[in-house]
Amino acid sequence: MKVLVTGGAGYIGSHTCVALLEAGYDVCVIDNLDNSSYEAVKRVEELTGKKITFYEKDILDKPAMEEIFAAEKPDAVIHFAALKAVGESVAKPLEYYHCNVFGTIALLETMKKFGVKKLVYSSSATVYSSVKEMPVNEQSFAYVTTNPYGWTKIMCEQIIRDTCHADPELAVALLRYFNPVGAHPSGRIGEDPAGIPNNLMPFVAQVASGKRERLSVFGNDYPTRDGTGVRDYIHVCDLADGHVLALGKITDGNGVYTYNLGSGQGTSVLEMVKAFEEASGREIPYVISPRRPGDIAEVYADASLAEKELGFKTKRDVYDMCKDLWNWQAQNPNGYQK
Ligand code: NAD
Ligand code: UFG
């Protein structure tokens, strides 16, 4: 079975390509390398000993997409390609709506034209930003978010649900990821943020390597056990395995399946810093700074539906995430740049 992966050179995409190739799928990737490097694809091939057909193309380029679908005849698509920085989306909303929403529409139209009926879509826990009751289950979805990036995820989910409603042969898994962290245990592939990392753990890893002086902890006055923000961190390899399980589910079914992919555990910023210090043996200097605008106190998953219907259960804990993140950072201090 052949899977076309959009955004397959990126952080979650590259780890998912490893999981797919190891599970016996054939894989082709479309990525414009806007936020990634071809080196990641080469390393996936090296890790698995298998080939990936790679197209450096934009998903908004319809003629190119049609050529690729005609040549590859994929059985299913996993759609990662998107812009994903929350803060940047506030400054550049039109770029985000253009890439994420038009890109998803262009993909759905191409799938329709070529009769491809299976899709796994990268959604996000950002769709739960307004929810107060924890843990959040798939029904907690409230059609409200705090930023343009979040809106693109809500809109794309709705566009996909409507498209499925109109074509009962379509089978789609909407996967709502919580906070992916870590890297492949080999240290060959991992997250390679451009510039100053927006997210907690890539920043922590750069403090450990000496690239940044200290971490700013954004707020210690939240109503949480130590006052710092609580999130549901999930090892990127567990997340990748979740895609293989979701693909199996839609291969046999049709309609829309929505799943939280998280660990079900909330961990605070200071607990993550401590876990990283233990896993790396490095001290992480930090200062307490004001809250980051738009942040919420806590969000963690009710992950029971994915467990019940997909047999999905995380195998790696926060210590494993930190150990593998540090292994990647230490081996690749400049990411994929040599
Ligand atoms: P990433 O930036 O590492 O990967 C996205 C990839 O898509 C990159 O390789 C980029 O070059 C490519 N891309 C972007 N626009 C494209 C376009 N128009 N045409 C072709 N390729 C394009 O990000 P990631 O962390 O791997 O995220 C993957 C998906 O998961 C995204 O849809 C993101 O919104 C979603 N997600 C990520 C997180 C997270 O914390 N990392 C959380 C929830 C959801
Ligand atoms: N934090 C710091 N200092 C930093 C960075 C983050 O204290 O330098 C704190 C935040 O305030 C928050 C926690 O660490 O309490 C996690 O922050 P991240 O930026 O790592 O993650 P978020 O939960 O804010 O957002 C991420 C992605 C979103 C996605 C969301 C849910 O960036 O795109 O997870 O999946 F929507």
Side-chain angles (χ1 to χ4, degrees):
M1 184 166 161
K2 185 181 284 182
V3 186
L4 186 152
V5 181
T6 75
Y11 172 46
I12 305 170
S14 56
H15 290 80
T16 302
C17 285
V18 171
L20 289 168
L21 290 164
E22 284 177 345
Y25 290 98
D26 293 323
V27 172
C28 58
V29 165
I30 301 177
D31 198 304
N32 64 3
L33 303 182
D34 178 68
N35 194 38
S36 53
S37 160
Y38 179 63
E39 180 65 19
V41 178
K42 284 206 302 205
R43 292 189 186 185
V44 170
E45 292 184 325
E46 198 184 282
L47 282 171
T48 56
K50 301 201 174 155
K51 280 295 297 167
I52 290 177
T53 315
F54 179 75
Y55 297 91
E56 186 179 344
K57 292 289 176 196
D58 197 298
I59 54 165
L60 285 147
D61 180 347
K62 280 285 280 292
M65 291 282 278
E66 292 187 1
E67 263 181 44
I68 294 166
F69 271 71
E72 296 293 337
K73 300 184 177 56
D75 301 290
V77 175
I78 304 185
H79 180 30
F80 293 105
L83 302 176
K84 64 160 183 177
V86 171
E88 186 184 60
S89 79
V90 176
K92 301 177 178 172
L94 294 179
E95 286 183 24
Y96 272 69
Y97 289 114
H98 188 79
C99 177
N100 296 6
V101 180
F102 286 1
T104 299
I105 293 173
L107 175 68
L108 290 167
E109 286 172 346
T110 314
M111 287 175 61
K112 183 174 180 193
K113 184 161 178 181
F114 289 85
V116 180
K117 301 289 185 185
K118 312 284 173 193
L119 173 69
V120 178
Y121 177 70
S122 298
S123 190
S124 166
T126 193
V127 304
Y128 298 122
S129 307
S130 67
V131 179
K132 299 276 176 291
E133 279 287 294
M134 293 299 138
V136 289
N137 66 37
E138 289 78 358
Q139 309 306 317
S140 313
F141 182 48
Y143 290 92
V144 181
T145 185
T146 53
N147 58 79
Y149 166 75
W151 280 114
T152 69
K153 292 291 164 190
I154 290 179
M155 286 178 187
C156 287
E157 280 202 8
Q158 188 60 35
I159 289 165
I160 292 168
R161 278 190 291 270
D162 289 343
T163 308
C164 278
H165 185 70
D167 179 358
E169 286 179 11
L170 272 174
V172 178
L174 301 176
L175 303 182
R176 295 176 178 161
Y177 313 154
F178 284 69
N179 292 55
V181 168
H184 191 270
S186 65
R188 294 294 291 158
I189 57 171
E191 187 169 13
D192 183 14
I196 302 171
N198 297 307
N199 296 116
L200 175 65
M201 294 315 287
F203 198 101
V204 166
Q206 292 193 4
V207 173
S209 74
K211 218 169 169 179
R212 315 259 162 221
E213 208 177 324
R214 67 177 76 81
L215 171 73
S216 291
V217 174
F218 297 144
N220 67 349
D221 56 352
Y222 284 108
T224 59
R225 51 186 171 266
D226 62 17
T228 66
V230 166
R231 297 289 184 275
D232 184 333
Y233 296 93
I234 175 170
H235 195 295
V236 68
C237 293
D238 280 328
L239 189 59
D241 292 344
H243 288 73
V244 176
L245 293 170
L247 196 57
K249 178 81 180 175
I250 59 171
T251 302
D252 300 329
N254 47 21
V256 183
Y257 302 87
T258 306
Y259 298 112
N260 284 344
L261 292 185
S263 67
Q265 303 288 321
T267 307
S268 75
V269 174
L270 293 180
E271 288 164 350
M272 285 307 279
V273 169
K274 189 157 177 281
F276 190 91
E277 288 184 331
E278 276 167 18
S280 66
R282 301 267 169 138
E283 197 194 334
I284 305 297
Y286 66 83
V287 287
I288 304 296
S289 302
R291 292 181 179 191
R292 184 171 63 178
D295 267 359
I296 52 176
E298 64 173 352
V299 59
Y300 54 94
D302 173 342
S304 58
L305 188 66
E307 181 173 357
K308 184 165 154 239
E309 295 193 2
L310 302 179
F312 175 77
K313 201 155 174 44
T314 54
K315 297 191 195 92
R316 298 136 177 119
D317 62 15
V318 291
Y319 182 85
D320 300 320
M321 296 175 212
C322 293
K323 184 165 61 63
D324 291 336
L325 169 58
W326 177 235
N327 185 31
W328 154 255
Q329 177 72 39
Q331 283 188 47
N332 307 272
N334 299 313
Y336 289 110
Q337 273 182 356
K338 299 242 163 68

